[in-house]
Amino acid sequence: MKRFTQVKGIVAPMDRANVDTDMIIPKNFLKSIKRTGFGKNLFDELRYLDEGQPDQDCSGRPLNKEFPLNFPRYQGASILLTRENFGCGSSREHAPWALDDYGFRAVIAPSFADIFFNNSFKNGLLPIVLEENTVEQLFQELYANEGYELAIDLQQQVVVTPSGERFSFEIDEFRKHCLLHGLDDIGLTLQEADAIRAYEERRKQQAPWLFGAVK
Amino acid sequence: MAGKTLYDKLWDAHLVKQRDDGSALIYIDRHIIHEVTSPQAFEGLRLAGRKPWRLDSIVATPDHNVPTTVKERASGVAGIEDPVSRIQVQTLDDNCDEFGILEFKINDRRQGIVHVIGPETGACLPGMTIVCGDSHTATNGALGALAHGIGTSEVEHVMATQCLVAKKMKNMLIKVDGQLAAGVTAKDVVLAIIAKIGTAGGTGYAMEFGGQVFRDMSMEGRMTVCNMAIEAGARAGMVAVDDTTIDYVKGRTFAPTGEQWQAAVANWRELVSDGDAVFDKVVELDGSKIQPQVSWGTSPEMVLPVDACVPDPAQVKDPVKKAGIERALQYMGLAAGQKITDIHVDRVFIGSCTNSRIEDIRAAAAVAKGHKVAGSVIQAMVVPGSGQVKAQAEAEGLDQVLIEAGFEWREPGCSMCLAMNADKLGNGEHCASTSNRNFEGRQGYGGRTHLVSPAMAAAAAIAGHFVNVQDLKGTQA
Ligand code: SF4
């Protein structure tokens, strides 16, 4: 997994609540059997004026000029600022894959949907929860200043604005540790293989029907 | 010490290791996989040289991409016209064959939507922890199980370790007492719940559905309710075990038998929240007041009783909400304050993991019987959730009732629920749909979805616009 320590970059707005996973990456792009290449279809139905097809070259497609990600000022953004309940809907990990592939390293919102939140960490994408009025303030600053950048320091758990204002955020220790070191959590879990086997032995005694083979 | 909730009991029984930082390793009993969220997980296993920990815990089936016409299904995977879909389904077959995983392949009678086949084959049982790379896995919670959707990295993690890294959620009880009026179904109940608590209302919670309404409800109905827990923000929904649960499980293909059955039943009887258990949050609704529901907007919380009018943003103060309503009305092509019964439908879709079980097909057929789909409706389709549901419906003659009324009778799969196959809405078309998500573009680019129960969908098909199924003459809903 990609490590996350510090990120400083341009912030792009996605100024609506309840951004769902179908919006982040529409289902026609889920047919890929790969993990990469979804960035060009991030927010596809909002970004382009036509209907996208998987494996299509997007460079000639008509862009929706009203959609912020298409504004020159937000090109190269690495931080997405959005509203409550971001990532609701399906469990598709294609959503964080698309955000990551596009170049986002962090998403800031007042709240996230559970599965999306989880999936993000597995892909080195940092979802940051800040209070609603803080998010509102960041939106105001972002709109007022072209080239607006934020700095995120995971070790310190802070988001720093250009004027030096610092907002701290919560993250659980295990996830922080994995992100900082780019750790693969399968490897970590397998270190507990003995505990898993011991559990299985115990459980087989109590509930043998759970171990019946399906065929 | 306070008693335990159903969720506490399921959690405790599966705890392999509690870590100091609050995360835990939870043992997974059943893992269901499908073609969309598994290829990258198998790829990951291969790259790391890992093997599945417990092959006999995994069951696979293709559902999202499979075509649903008899013609396109006739020659199996090779007959799938869309090449990208074909590769995805083929990849699932190849992966299952390579690793030795039980798969109900495309034309196997046991094939169907992942969340339908689990309970119906007995692969999913009360007391289990069940995961699948799909958010509607919560459906299985109706069995008194802890079931939730996971992402692809977690699919790989569960395959490799049989465990999930999880954090214990908080407990929420949704209590609905009273008796439902005629024509009001499980779908209306869950839509009314989402309308009340919102799509983020259950975020961070495991949601138990309790109260008279759920005690009286069939297993199919409970599955419909748990299915949409995720639309209320909860990763897991569940209903306590009772006689209805046990009667349902008995005799299913993979259910235990003989002495093991007795032992299992004794164990399952414990799967109820203790009388003195404490929930972090309790939400109550009066079941007798719930009316047939129709969603009007682009989020499952944008839902109202069928006799209501769509909202007028001018009346709303909160700017984020107001903008949301304006955007939804515009996308849906509706006028502020318009009557829901004045919304015309272009297509009707009865199916999806929310409403494609036998009871749903029966409800649709009961309404359709002796009527005809309105001439203004371009297409009305019924897509059974599995090969077994299809066979059962055909044995009961429901397919004939529906076909006679002008509905198309399809092969099992997800179909127009998310339109990954050929079944989709045209730009701007309104659809009465029994599925679970009315997001923009969900059922096709520019498509406009209205979530309803099977009875309401069938009634809309006949009338050509939404109607209160309770008012429909000559039908028994
Ligand atoms: S029927 Fe719809 S919601 Fe259910 S699993 Fe299939 S695509 Fe997902």
Side-chain angles (χ1 to χ4, degrees):
Chain A
M1 191 177 75
K2 226 190 294 190
R3 289 176 58 177
F4 191 113
T5 48
Q6 292 172 328
V7 165
K8 182 163 191 256
I10 294 195
V11 185
M14 183 66 194
D15 198 351
R16 36 168 119 186
N18 300 315
V19 171
D20 59 71
T21 51
D22 282 77
M23 210 180 278
I24 299 172
I25 180 89
K27 75 257 152 187
N28 31 336
F29 306 107
L30 308 190
K31 294 183 184 179
S32 168
I33 52 173
K34 301 186 293 255
R35 270 175 205 260
T36 51
F38 295 103
K40 63 186 195 306
N41 301 113
L42 176 71
F43 300 123
D44 198 273
E45 291 181 7
L46 299 168
R47 235 164 109 192
Y48 304 98
L49 294 171
D50 61 345
E51 185 178 353
Q53 303 301 333
D55 290 333
Q56 174 187 18
D57 173 11
C58 293
S59 56
R61 293 177 62 194
L63 292 177
N64 174 5
K65 295 263 166 32
E66 322 247 287
F67 185 59
L69 279 197
N70 291 329
F71 296 2
R73 63 185 283 188
Y74 300 126
Q75 298 315 300
S78 55
I79 298 166
L80 187 70
L81 181 67
T82 184
R83 303 282 182 183
E84 64 182 31
N85 201 28
F86 185 84
C88 61
S90 85
S91 63
R92 66 187 67 158
E93 203 154 318
H94 310 68
W97 292 339
L99 287 159
D100 170 70
D101 194 64
Y102 181 89
F104 286 115
R105 299 298 322 275
V107 182
I108 301 176
S111 61
F112 292 89
D114 283 340
I115 304 181
F116 174 84
F117 191 72
N118 244 319
N119 284 343
S120 297
F121 286 104
K122 316 266 180 212
N123 294 284
L125 178 74
L126 178 62
I128 297 178
V129 177
L130 291 180
E131 286 203 10
E132 200 151 353
N133 43 12
T134 306
V135 169
E136 179 57 35
Q137 180 190 331
L138 296 179
F139 266 109
Q140 301 298 341
E141 292 181 9
L142 164 64
Y143 289 139
N145 302 288
E146 195 159 336
Y148 185 77
E149 290 194 334
L150 288 172
I152 297 165
D153 185 328
L154 177 58
Q155 183 61 49
Q156 304 284 324
Q157 298 179 216
V158 284
V159 176
V160 187
T161 72
S163 66
E165 205 174 344
R166 297 163 71 86
F167 296 104
S168 56
F169 60 88
E170 299 284 320
I171 178 171
D172 75 49
E173 276 307 311
F174 179 69
R175 284 177 166 146
K176 179 174 173 181
H177 179 75
C178 290
L179 270 181
L180 283 174
H181 301 281
L183 292 179
D184 158 17
D185 56 351
I186 294 182
L188 285 174
T189 300
L190 285 174
Q191 291 174 5
E192 312 286 354
D194 290 343
I196 302 170
R197 279 195 205 96
Y199 171 88
E200 281 181 328
E201 285 315 312
R202 231 174 32 243
R203 194 72 178 148
K204 264 182 212 164
Q205 304 299 318
Q206 299 164 343
W209 61 88
L210 292 174
F211 294 83
V214 286
K215 51 179 175 297
Chain B
M1 214 181 87
K4 288 180 176 184
T5 64
L6 169 57
Y7 171 61
D8 295 337
K9 291 181 185 182
L10 291 166
W11 174 271
D12 291 350
H14 292 88
L15 186 63
V16 172
K17 183 159 185 168
Q18 179 69 55
R19 294 189 177 128
D20 297 338
D21 56 25
S23 71
L25 283 184
I26 290 295
Y27 190 82
I28 300 302
D29 297 314
R30 180 66 68 223
H31 189 183
I32 313 271
I33 61 177
H34 63 82
E35 80 277 22
V36 180
T37 52
S38 66
Q40 297 87 352
F42 280 111
E43 192 56 31
L45 286 183
R46 242 180 249 117
L47 286 175
R50 291 176 176 134
K51 290 241 167 326
W53 180 280
R54 229 190 93 197
L55 279 173
D56 67 358
S57 69
I58 313 174
V59 177
T61 198
D63 57 358
H64 285 63
N65 272 293
V66 297
T68 61
T69 57
V70 174
K71 186 170 150 278
E72 215 184 324
R73 277 291 263 272
S75 35
V77 182
I80 302 178
E81 282 164 20
D82 176 350
V84 200
S85 291
R86 189 171 60 236
I87 290 172
Q88 211 170 44
V89 175
Q90 185 63 52
T91 304
L92 180 67
D93 287 3
D94 294 347
N95 282 325
C96 289
D97 293 347
E98 177 188 333
F99 285 94
I101 289 167
L102 173 71
E103 182 194 4
F104 304 147
K105 292 200 162 75
I106 183 163
N107 286 339
D108 188 314
R109 177 165 154 162
R110 298 167 296 178
Q111 178 268 342
I113 304 173
V114 274
H115 316 305
V116 174
I117 64 154
E120 103 184 340
T121 57
C124 297
L125 295 170
M128 276 184 166
T129 40
I130 302 158
V131 294
C132 171
D134 191 288
S135 58
H136 291 100
T137 310
T139 313
N140 295 284
L143 293 160
L146 176 57
H148 57 67
I150 56 177
T152 298
S153 296
E154 291 172 315
V155 169
E156 184 182 338
H157 189 278
V158 173
M159 282 205 278
T161 69
Q162 210 58 38
C163 289
L164 191 66
V165 179
K167 222 177 173 165
K168 192 164 180 207
M169 298 177 273
K170 287 180 284 182
N171 280 290
M172 181 185 286
L173 175 66
I174 307 274
K175 196 158 181 280
V176 188
D177 278 313
Q179 219 179 1
L180 299 180
V184 177
T185 67
K187 180 66 163 285
D188 302 301
V189 173
V190 71
L191 287 173
I193 292 168
I194 299 164
K196 178 164 173 130
I197 70 172
T199 50
T203 304
Y205 291 93
M207 199 177 259
E208 179 174 345
F209 299 97
Q212 196 56 39
V213 162
F214 303 112
R215 294 271 68 86
D216 293 344
M217 206 176 260
S218 67
M219 283 306 287
E220 284 84 354
R222 293 176 189 181
M223 287 181 215
T224 299
V225 172
C226 290
N227 174 275
M228 290 192 74
I230 186 76
E231 266 65 59
R235 227 176 148 178
M238 62 199 83
V239 175
V241 170
D242 61 8
D243 289 342
T244 307
T245 323
I246 288 165
D247 292 345
Y248 176 89
V249 175
K250 191 162 189 173
R252 306 239 158 223
T253 314
F254 301 122
T257 52
E259 263 174 43
Q260 286 209 357
W261 170 259
Q262 300 301 338
V265 169
N267 177 291
W268 296 341
R269 292 275 180 204
E270 305 286 315
L271 298 174
V272 296
S273 289
D274 295 333
D276 56 346
V278 180
F279 288 85
D280 301 285
K281 192 166 176 184
V282 179
V283 176
E284 293 189 59
L285 273 82
D286 180 351
S288 66
K289 297 227 172 79
I290 298 174
Q291 289 168 46
Q293 307 280 311
V294 180
S295 77
W296 56 269
T298 52
S299 156
E301 70 189 28
M302 293 174 162
V303 67
L304 284 166
V306 58
D307 295 321
C309 298
V310 305
D312 180 355
Q315 317 278 336
V316 180
K317 289 216 183 68
D318 177 342
V320 177
K321 264 215 180 92
K322 184 181 182 138
I325 294 175
E326 278 168 354
R327 198 161 38 229
L329 289 179
Q330 197 201 8
Y331 180 85
M332 296 297 288
L334 299 174
Q338 182 178 347
K339 276 168 93 173
I340 287 180
T341 47
D342 285 345
I343 303 172
H344 286 262
V345 300
D346 302 297
R347 290 184 203 260
V348 175
F349 169 62
I350 298 174
S352 91
C353 56
T354 313
N355 284 124
S356 63
R357 283 165 285 269
I358 188 66
E359 185 183 283
D360 303 312
I361 315 277
R362 285 182 192 138
V367 172
K369 194 171 178 133
H371 293 272
K372 288 273 181 241
V373 170
S376 58
V377 173
I378 304 166
Q379 179 185 40
M381 58 199 274
V382 183
V383 188
S386 70
Q388 290 194 29
V389 170
K390 180 167 185 267
Q392 166 92 32
E394 289 174 355
E396 295 180 18
L398 304 176
D399 58 326
Q400 288 312 315
V401 172
L402 291 161
I403 291 167
E404 239 158 70
F407 287 85
E408 294 174 26
W409 179 245
R410 295 294 190 96
E411 299 296 305
C414 293
S415 180
M416 209 196 273
C417 173
L418 93 167
M420 272 185 82
N421 66 359
D423 312 335
K424 48 182 90 162
L425 297 182
N427 201 344
E429 288 177 352
H430 288 268
C431 179
S433 176
T434 66
S435 57
N436 43 54
R437 287 187 178 140
N438 50 352
F439 299 151
E440 291 180 21
R442 169 83 179 181
Q443 293 192 285
Y445 184 78
R448 295 162 170 167
T449 302
H450 299 274
L451 305 174
V452 286
S453 73
M456 285 286 287
I462 289 154
H465 55 87
F466 290 104
V467 283
N468 188 336
V469 67
Q470 296 170 318
D471 302 339
L472 215 66
K473 291 217 175 60
T475 60
Q476 298 172 311

